[in-house]
Amino acid sequence: MTKKEEPPPSRVPRAVRVASLLSEGEELSGDDQGDEEEDDHAYEGVPNGGWHTSSLSLSLPSTIAAPHPMDGPPGGSTPVTPVIKAGWLDKNPPQGSYIYQKRWVKLDTDHLRYFDSNKDAYSKRFISVACISHVAAIGDQKFEVITNNRTFAFRAESDVERKEWMQALQQAMAEQRARARLSSAYLLGVPGSEQPDRAGSLELRGFKNKLYVAVVGDKVQLYKNLEEYHLGIGITFIDMSVGNVKEVDRRSFDLTTPYRIFSFSADSELEKEQWLEAMQGAIAEALSTSEVAERIWAAAPNRFCADCGAPQPDWASINLCVVICKRCAGEHRGLGAGVSKVRSLKMDRKVWTETLIEALCAAVTTTDLAETQALLGCGAGINCFSGDPEAPTPLALAEQAGQTLQMEFLRNNRTTEVPRLDSMKPLEKHYSVVLPTVSHSGFLYKTASAGKLLQDRRAREEFSRRWCVLGDGVLSYFENERAVTPNGEIRASEIVCLAVPPPDTHGFEHTFEVYTEGERLYLFGLESAEQAHEWVKCIAKAFVPPLAEDLLARDFERLGRLPYKAGLSLQRAQEGWFSLSGSELRAVFPDGPCEEPLQLRKLQELSIQGDSENQVLVLVERRRTLYIQGERRLDFMGWLGAIQKAAASMGDTLSEQQLGDSDIPVIVYRCVDYITQCGLTSEGIYRKCGQTSKTQRLLESLRQDARSVHLKEGEQHVDDVSSALKRFLRDLPDGLFTRAQRLTWLEASEIEDEEEKVSRYRELLVRLPPVNRATVKALISHLYCVQCFSDTNQMNVHNLAIVFGPTLFQTDGQDYKAGRVVEDLINHYVVVFSVDEEELRKQREEITAIVKMRVAGTASGTQHAGDFICTVYLEEKKAETEQHIKIPASMTAEELTLEILDRRNVGIREKDYWTCFEVNEREEAERPLHFAEKVLPILHGLGTDSHLVVKKHQAMEAMLLYLASRVGDTKHGMMKFREDRSLLGLGLPSGGFHDRYFILNSSCLRLYKEVRSHRPEKEWPVKSLKVYLGVKKKLRPPTCWGFTVVHETEKHEKQQWYLCCDTQMELREWFATFLFVQHDGLVWPSEPSRVSRAVPEVRLGSVSLIPLRGSENEMRRSVAAFTADPLSLLRNV
């Protein structure tokens, strides 16, 4: 055999075009028969993987198969068809021209293909070996490949090479005919000529005419037309082991490979979905392996489906030990995994252990295994007691006897559900088992199923009339009422959601959507509201279990099941049933009573956590938090959009707005809180108008979703916010005081006797709708606070009444009585709204604290946001435990702790010392807040590396015992000391740790160089110190029992000291003394309220206290040592 050198570029015909994909018609005149010339030009200019002509510069032996991009994609599991021969040949054009065209030709057992270049991924043409009738020599090193009606002429470099090509082709033809004879009898389970999974015409971008496309096994084959498909002469085929398909629009989809993107278009959306399904099946086939299937098919009875007898079944029920076809596998899967565990022989490789393969191979021949199967089918208990203590179960007996097949069969049937009837009780079914009692039939109009949400309106023309039958847990749809075979089926057990869009959403006035576990959406429509309602009710009854029957008592917009986490069960998601009706979300959980409905427009938080693949919808209502997980993206996105829409404002009236806990619209809350915290001292507040454009944009965003709008100083001006609030109140359709009662309020302002007038106001207030009444009180309470600072803001009661009278009563400003009503309500605020002394005191404390902080913030050059919402964690910092809490200025650490525990339904047992901790991750330290400490100032001081967490104070009992037993209120002793001064945030470390003597009393902390020293080196006022447990590890503390002391001077100079004790008990004694002297002896509240609440008999929380460092070595330098069992330490003292 001689090696042929590649001809120089001058000898390569100019007609060679490496970037081509299809027929020779792209070249000078084509190389097929003349009747195809006019079609060939439609395929010009199609790229083929971007290979360059430089790839022709290498010489290759014509007898050796050269590496090819499509011969074996990396990682592919599909067996590669062996290449019999490959090399360069000259190909004669169809016109018989003397100008030959250079082609790289490859022959394998199934096809003869030729390419522009040996680097091309896809051929210009392929000829099925089965279609070749014979091969003949025609002189001058030429030979012909002859099919039934086509002839292809090739020329080799020598007679020897021509002979080799002809022998290789004849051998391939003989082998192909032999395989065809064997396959017809299904010997050894080898298939014959494969029928396509789908075939038809598609448009391919860049082509003038449609191509005929066939999906066969793990290949997608392209032909010019149907005729060539029948002749076995194609353009190219695409190995789907390297392919991927995705939707582009309603009719188009892309088939992507590493070498090229094929952009197809179908005639309709339904056809597109069918092509996508077929190509995805080809990908699955390409990534599968036949090794297991061939071993199982080696037993003759396993070559046919156990249910219907179809040949070559490639699925199996591993617990029933039978092989089944693809269609029957769907039936088995509908029974549920508790009855039949369905696995693929080709794709589920990991499940096929050697013993399981043997069990299936022996299923019909091994007597003892069949007997075991029969006993289990009759109801024998898989885990029954055998009577032998050494081998108490059937599995143990099988293991003792060395019966490996029996062991494998028993293992796979551990969770099999065997139906049992109880004569005394009705059969209770799990919700995944369909209730067969529901039946209904009639005509419905349906569209093609979709794999994504329907964003666009579906026209009436896109619906097809189908006869639909609901029965035995299956919704079937037929071409007409006389048809026997359904066009498709939807099993009720696979339905995960049923949605009812608003009328006239699509071409039919009344529609409903069915979502399935397979991420498909089915849209049905009817003109009759009654018929549509009846269908929805019947389908809902078919897939909703008895557990959630109460959800069917009311009409709903959306109904289905979703994974969720709630309460104390945050470690594992469970499946619950949900129903959305208006702005109410009802839930039924499998392990508890029917929950109170969530009022979505009263949520404190609605947010989405996690990444795009693992999204979690967080719904926070007072005293409870619900996490809904997106296990199935399609129906979850539908639920997400519906819940967000239901939680938004529904209209312009007050009752249709997003509401807070007290029935006050969130939009009013947002504006009032911002102005209270940022605008109480702003001159001319409410009298001055904001910029019209900014006010309008702000009001639009508040009306759309006020809960998600966070007003921040520097981003919104107080005058813009105040103008937005006034505009909102003025534009209310019914007004704040309602049209029906407006005149009565104005008339009451003319009553001369003050007591009688106030009494009349109180009567009228009770007559207002609840939301209006709560809003009036909140607004007047706010205006009462504003007028308290009239010396600064120049807005006294009279000025506020002039502004708000016409706004609230929607008058033109000419009626003075409107202003008088507002003035009277502010002046008599305490009496009209029955404000007690405690409420008034808290209100005054709150606004005083806010003003003080603003003054301090102005002095330090910092300003704070107007919306004080804090994220607090329970026990540890992670997404599942976070809570978003609105922090008023009067809230204490004790109130915050109780609020968090109430939300998560955590009770407090005796000697449970739940506390709120301030954790500083950068300093690697934490500080338990005193129960009476105000949270808002701490919140303003938190940096980005700090957070609040509520958890048990494990050392509190030991500290209380120490304080109760000690004498005196001072503490002294030696400690390791290190100073770290920070001026304006610049760290200036001052060396290592040194022994120092400390004295702590009720007024100060003193540091002495040694015990005998008379004058202290340093002295700090004790009540201005903040003491944190822990010392950051980079300082190399000498012991693991340290704490950090922080002091901020009047010049805002921050100083830090690090102290280390020799023992854990010393650390606790020092820390307890600090708390004692800083808070005048009140370390823990004496009221029994913190331990008297009802406690459920469950473990409180599932997460123990987490040390700030993870490794054992690092833990020595963390506060984890502070959390050891206090009683055990006391026993050692």
Side-chain angles (χ1 to χ4, degrees):
M1 182 65 200
T2 61
K3 293 185 180 181
K4 171 183 169 293
E5 294 294 328
E6 177 73 16
S10 59
R11 290 181 55 196
V12 178
R14 294 183 179 181
V16 174
R17 193 178 302 170
V18 177
S20 63
L21 171 66
L22 300 178
S23 71
E24 303 300 329
E26 301 175 31
E27 319 304 347
L28 293 177
S29 57
D31 75 349
D32 293 332
Q33 293 184 353
D35 59 350
E36 295 201 348
E37 288 184 42
E38 59 182 88
D39 292 336
D40 286 344
H41 293 283
Y43 308 103
E44 293 184 6
V46 180
N48 188 13
W51 306 107
H52 303 289
T53 53
S54 60
S55 61
L56 299 174
S57 61
L58 297 176
S59 61
L60 288 170
S62 60
T63 57
I64 301 175
H68 192 274
M70 296 297 292
D71 281 349
S77 59
T78 305
V80 178
T81 305
V83 177
I84 299 173
K85 187 173 179 59
W88 291 101
L89 289 175
D90 296 327
K91 185 177 181 302
N92 197 4
Q95 291 83 359
S97 168
Y98 289 102
I99 302 177
Y100 277 81
Q101 298 163 335
K102 206 73 173 177
R103 295 289 178 261
W104 176 258
V105 185
K106 292 180 65 172
L107 173 66
D108 57 42
T109 55
D110 296 319
H111 300 98
L112 175 68
R113 294 177 288 165
Y114 56 88
F115 305 78
D116 271 334
S117 164
N118 62 337
K119 298 296 184 181
D120 280 355
Y122 300 109
S123 62
K124 294 180 68 62
R125 278 292 192 171
F126 70 84
I127 307 160
S128 174
V129 173
C131 298
I132 300 175
S133 57
H134 65 280
V135 181
I138 56 176
D140 291 336
Q141 302 149 8
K142 301 176 188 176
F143 64 94
E144 292 180 334
V145 177
I146 304 169
T147 65
N148 291 335
N149 65 343
R150 296 285 298 276
T151 300
F152 298 84
F154 296 94
R155 184 179 66 187
E157 285 292 316
S158 65
D159 290 335
V160 175
E161 187 177 356
R162 177 182 64 176
K163 181 179 179 181
E164 290 178 353
W165 273 105
M166 293 179 63
Q167 289 176 346
L169 282 164
Q170 290 165 353
Q171 180 183 353
M173 292 163 56
E175 292 175 355
Q176 178 65 238
R177 294 189 180 102
R179 286 199 306 273
R181 286 193 297 272
L182 290 174
S183 64
S184 62
Y186 282 104
L187 297 178
L188 299 178
V190 179
S193 58
E194 272 191 278
Q195 293 298 317
D197 297 312
R198 180 163 183 81
S201 297
L202 284 175
E203 295 178 12
L204 180 59
R205 185 183 300 169
F207 292 86
K208 178 178 165 184
N209 299 322
K210 287 186 176 182
L211 299 183
Y212 192 81
V213 182
V215 180
V216 183
D218 61 351
K219 303 284 193 302
V220 173
Q221 300 174 350
L222 305 183
Y223 299 86
K224 279 188 177 182
N225 47 49
L226 178 61
E227 180 187 357
E228 289 202 350
Y229 167 72
H230 289 304
L231 294 175
I233 302 172
I235 298 168
T236 190
F237 55 80
I238 305 159
D239 187 346
M240 296 302 281
S241 63
V242 294
N244 184 38
V245 289
K246 65 176 182 178
E247 292 183 88
V248 176
D249 55 37
R250 293 179 63 178
R251 293 194 308 112
S252 302
F253 62 95
D254 283 349
L255 169 54
T256 306
T257 72
Y259 317 105
R260 182 188 165 180
I261 298 176
F262 298 84
S263 298
F264 294 102
S265 294
D267 289 337
S268 67
E269 187 174 3
L270 174 61
E271 281 194 23
K272 179 202 70 175
E273 298 292 341
Q274 293 169 343
W275 278 108
L276 283 174
E277 184 178 356
M279 290 190 181
Q280 287 165 349
I283 294 173
E285 178 76 17
L287 299 177
S288 66
T289 175
S290 299
E291 179 184 354
V292 172
E294 289 173 359
R295 290 184 59 185
I296 290 176
W297 290 341
N302 286 339
R303 296 174 194 161
F304 302 93
C305 174
D307 287 355
C308 68
Q312 298 175 286
D314 53 2
W315 291 80
S317 172
I318 62 172
N319 63 317
L320 300 181
C321 285
V322 292
V323 285
I324 50 181
C325 65
K326 184 176 181 180
R327 183 178 180 85
C328 294
E331 301 292 333
H332 278 248
R333 196 178 289 109
L335 299 174
V339 177
S340 181
K341 299 177 182 177
V342 181
R343 298 292 186 271
S344 170
L345 299 183
K346 294 183 176 180
M347 289 178 284
D348 298 324
R349 307 178 203 175
K350 293 183 180 179
V351 76
W352 293 105
T353 60
E354 287 295 323
T355 49
L356 183 55
I357 296 174
E358 292 175 17
L360 269 173
C361 294
V364 295
T365 58
T366 305
T367 305
D368 58 349
L369 196 62
E371 179 69 17
T372 304
Q373 186 173 6
L375 290 172
L376 288 181
C378 293
I382 192 82
N383 295 313
C384 63
F385 181 60
S386 65
D388 184 356
E390 295 184 0
T393 64
L395 179 60
L397 284 173
E399 184 176 7
Q400 190 179 63
Q403 294 287 342
T404 55
L405 297 183
Q406 294 277 12
M407 290 167 58
E408 187 70 21
F409 179 74
L410 292 172
R411 285 194 191 100
N412 284 294
N413 278 279
R414 278 177 175 170
T415 59
T416 300
E417 299 173 3
V418 180
R420 295 181 176 86
L421 293 177
D422 191 335
S423 59
M424 302 299 294
K425 297 181 181 179
L427 180 64
E428 294 184 359
K429 296 186 176 182
H430 190 263
Y431 63 78
S432 64
V433 179
V434 179
L435 302 177
T437 56
V438 183
S439 61
H440 195 62
S441 61
F443 280 105
L444 285 173
Y445 294 85
K446 75 174 290 290
T447 63
S449 67
K452 57 184 178 181
L453 294 179
L454 304 178
Q455 304 291 350
D456 302 327
R457 177 184 174 89
R458 290 294 188 264
R460 195 181 183 93
E461 294 76 20
E462 298 182 64
F463 287 79
S464 302
R465 189 169 184 256
R466 295 289 181 263
W467 175 258
C468 298
V469 177
L470 175 63
D472 295 327
V474 179
L475 174 61
S476 305
Y477 45 93
F478 301 79
E479 190 70 28
N480 52 57
E481 67 271 32
R482 297 181 301 276
V484 177
T485 304
N487 289 7
E489 295 179 344
I490 305 173
R491 294 189 172 275
S493 59
E494 297 178 356
I495 298 176
V496 296
C497 181
L498 178 62
V500 183
D504 203 31
T505 301
H506 298 289
F508 282 85
E509 184 173 359
H510 303 283
T511 55
F512 60 90
E513 300 170 349
V514 177
Y515 297 76
T516 65
E517 286 182 340
E519 300 276 5
R520 306 302 299 174
L521 187 160
Y522 298 84
L523 176 65
F524 298 89
L526 278 170
E527 286 295 351
S528 169
E530 293 76 13
Q531 292 180 14
H533 185 268
E534 185 65 25
W535 270 107
V536 168
K537 284 294 183 184
C538 290
I539 294 174
K541 289 179 182 177
F543 84 98
V544 172
L547 166 75
E549 280 181 344
D550 292 343
L551 298 179
L552 305 181
R554 303 179 53 176
D555 289 339
F556 53 83
E557 284 88 47
R558 191 169 286 265
L559 172 74
R561 51 187 166 97
L562 289 165
Y564 76 95
K565 293 181 181 180
L568 297 173
S569 304
L570 296 178
Q571 299 305 304
R572 180 177 60 87
Q574 303 181 71
E575 197 160 54
W577 288 86
F578 297 86
S579 170
L580 179 63
S581 178
S583 61
E584 286 187 350
L585 180 66
R586 297 178 177 271
V588 174
F589 300 147
D591 56 353
C594 185
E595 294 281 328
E596 285 293 320
L598 274 78
Q599 303 296 330
L600 296 178
R601 286 194 284 115
K602 289 188 177 183
L603 291 177
Q604 293 177 323
E605 179 195 346
L606 189 157
S607 61
I608 304 170
Q609 299 178 358
D611 54 32
S612 58
E613 298 298 325
N614 300 289
Q615 290 187 326
V616 178
L617 175 62
V618 182
L619 305 177
V620 180
E621 195 184 40
R622 184 168 180 80
R623 299 185 183 278
R624 57 176 169 172
T625 302
L626 182 65
Y627 301 90
I628 298 177
Q629 295 184 313
E631 182 181 42
R632 299 170 298 269
R633 181 168 179 80
L634 181 61
D635 68 297
F636 176 75
M637 295 307 294
W639 276 103
L640 178 60
I643 290 175
Q644 288 176 328
K645 182 178 179 181
S649 299
M650 305 296 290
D652 294 329
T653 64
L654 276 179
S655 59
E656 293 176 321
Q657 304 299 310
Q658 293 176 342
L659 302 176
D661 293 335
S662 305
D663 283 340
I664 301 171
V666 177
I667 186 172
V668 176
Y669 256 141
R670 287 285 189 261
C671 296
V672 165
D673 282 355
Y674 180 82
I675 294 170
T676 299
Q677 296 166 12
C678 299
L680 285 181
T681 58
S682 177
E683 184 176 346
I685 184 65
Y686 287 117
R687 178 174 54 81
K688 293 181 179 179
C689 296
Q691 294 184 22
T692 304
S693 58
K694 292 183 178 180
T695 299
Q696 186 64 31
R697 284 198 301 270
L698 175 59
L699 186 57
E700 287 176 0
S701 60
L702 287 168
R703 280 175 171 161
Q704 184 176 1
D705 187 7
R707 189 183 294 109
S708 64
V709 176
H710 298 286
L711 304 175
K712 295 185 178 181
E713 193 168 13
E715 296 181 8
Q716 289 88 16
H717 194 275
V718 289
D719 292 334
D720 298 330
V721 178
S722 65
S723 295
L725 177 60
K726 290 187 295 182
R727 177 79 62 82
F728 170 76
L729 295 171
R730 175 178 281 277
D731 292 345
L732 290 173
D734 197 35
L736 185 59
F737 291 96
T738 72
R739 294 180 186 274
Q741 300 185 43
R742 186 181 304 165
L743 292 177
T744 313
W745 279 90
L746 297 176
E747 291 171 359
S749 67
E750 296 183 312
I751 300 176
E752 295 183 0
D753 185 75
E754 288 295 317
E755 291 185 6
E756 183 182 351
K757 181 166 59 174
V758 170
S759 177
R760 180 60 173 162
Y761 285 147
R762 290 168 61 89
E763 292 176 9
L764 296 175
L765 189 65
V766 175
R767 296 181 188 176
L768 289 175
V771 177
N772 295 59
R773 184 166 59 250
T775 306
V776 169
K777 180 179 179 180
L779 182 62
I780 299 302
S781 173
H782 169 63
L783 298 181
Y784 177 81
C785 296
V786 173
Q787 61 87 30
C788 289
F789 295 89
S790 59
D791 291 342
T792 306
N793 58 35
Q794 306 299 316
M795 294 299 291
N796 55 27
V797 176
H798 181 69
N799 292 339
L800 290 172
I802 292 175
V803 173
F804 276 93
T807 298
L808 301 183
F809 286 92
Q810 300 175 331
T811 64
D812 55 4
Q814 301 299 319
D815 193 343
Y816 68 94
K817 294 189 293 293
R820 181 178 292 178
V821 173
V822 175
E823 190 169 349
D824 290 339
L825 292 178
I826 297 175
N827 285 327
H828 301 288
Y829 160 67
V830 175
V831 180
V832 172
F833 298 97
S834 303
V835 181
D836 57 30
E837 286 296 325
E838 180 64 20
E839 184 179 353
L840 191 62
R841 182 186 62 79
K842 285 187 176 182
Q843 185 175 349
R844 287 171 177 167
E845 285 183 357
E846 181 174 346
I847 61 174
T848 302
I850 289 172
V851 172
K852 284 183 178 179
M853 281 192 299
R854 287 194 60 79
V855 172
T858 303
S860 62
T862 61
Q863 295 293 331
H864 305 293
D867 231 10
F868 297 106
I869 297 177
C870 179
T871 300
V872 184
Y873 300 91
L874 180 62
E875 293 197 293
E876 65 172 331
K877 183 181 179 182
K878 61 180 184 179
E880 291 84 356
T881 63
E882 68 177 21
Q883 296 287 323
H884 300 283
I885 304 292
K886 182 181 176 183
I887 309 294
S890 58
M891 177 175 276
T892 63
E894 179 185 20
E895 293 171 342
L896 174 60
T897 301
L898 294 177
E899 173 73 14
I900 294 294
L901 298 180
D902 284 342
R903 283 194 179 190
R904 300 301 290 270
N905 195 26
V906 177
I908 303 178
R909 291 192 179 93
E910 187 177 0
K911 296 186 179 180
D912 274 354
Y913 297 95
W914 287 92
T915 307
C916 182
F917 285 76
E918 174 194 346
V919 180
N920 189 320
E921 297 174 351
R922 182 173 58 85
E923 292 293 333
E924 302 171 21
E926 63 182 11
R927 180 174 74 92
L929 305 186
H930 187 259
F931 68 90
E933 196 169 350
K934 293 290 193 297
V935 180
L936 191 58
I938 298 169
L939 174 61
H940 285 309
L942 287 181
T944 56
D945 49 11
S946 299
H947 62 272
L948 299 181
V949 60
V950 171
K951 60 184 179 181
K952 292 180 184 178
H953 197 321
Q954 304 285 8
M956 180 55 70
E957 185 176 5
M959 293 194 303
L960 293 176
L961 290 174
Y962 164 74
L963 292 174
S965 62
R966 75 190 185 98
V967 179
D969 56 357
T970 62
K971 171 74 177 170
H972 57 86
M974 297 293 294
M975 286 190 286
K976 307 288 185 182
F977 169 77
R978 173 172 175 160
E979 182 176 15
D980 192 0
R981 172 176 289 182
S982 180
L983 293 174
L984 300 177
L986 299 176
L988 302 173
S990 58
F993 284 84
H994 305 282
D995 288 325
R996 290 292 184 268
Y997 185 71
F998 289 86
I999 297 179
L1000 175 62
N1001 57 35
S1002 58
S1003 61
C1004 61
L1005 174 66
R1006 295 190 177 97
L1007 177 149
Y1008 298 85
K1009 187 172 184 179
E1010 54 188 17
V1011 178
R1012 295 189 298 265
S1013 301
H1014 297 287
R1015 180 176 296 180
E1017 289 185 346
K1018 296 182 181 295
E1019 183 175 335
W1020 307 281
V1022 69
K1023 294 199 174 182
S1024 65
L1025 301 179
K1026 287 186 178 181
V1027 184
Y1028 293 80
L1029 296 167
V1031 177
K1032 55 187 176 183
K1033 62 181 180 180
K1034 74 175 185 179
L1035 297 180
R1036 301 180 182 273
T1039 71
C1040 60
W1041 300 293
F1043 52 90
T1044 301
V1045 180
V1046 180
H1047 174 59
E1048 189 169 349
T1049 65
E1050 295 180 358
K1051 298 180 180 180
H1052 303 288
E1053 180 181 339
K1054 187 178 179 183
Q1055 298 174 336
Q1056 291 184 184
W1057 303 278
Y1058 305 100
L1059 309 176
C1060 288
C1061 303
D1062 291 332
T1063 66
Q1064 185 185 60
M1065 199 60 208
E1066 272 190 50
L1067 172 65
R1068 292 180 171 175
E1069 290 175 359
W1070 277 103
F1071 195 79
T1073 308
F1074 267 112
L1075 290 177
F1076 185 86
V1077 298
Q1078 284 184 324
H1079 301 285
D1080 300 323
L1082 192 56
V1083 175
W1084 194 255
S1086 56
E1087 298 85 18
S1089 61
R1090 293 189 59 120
V1091 294
S1092 62
R1093 295 187 301 158
V1095 181
E1097 289 301 320
V1098 294
R1099 183 169 179 262
L1100 294 182
S1102 56
V1103 184
S1104 59
L1105 183 65
I1106 301 298
L1108 294 180
R1109 293 159 187 76
S1111 69
E1112 184 176 346
N1113 186 44
E1114 292 172 336
M1115 202 183 305
R1116 294 182 62 256
R1117 302 184 176 90
S1118 72
V1119 297
F1122 194 78
T1123 63
D1125 180 14
L1127 295 180
S1128 64
L1129 291 170
L1130 287 174
R1131 295 187 197 105
N1132 297 331
V1133 176

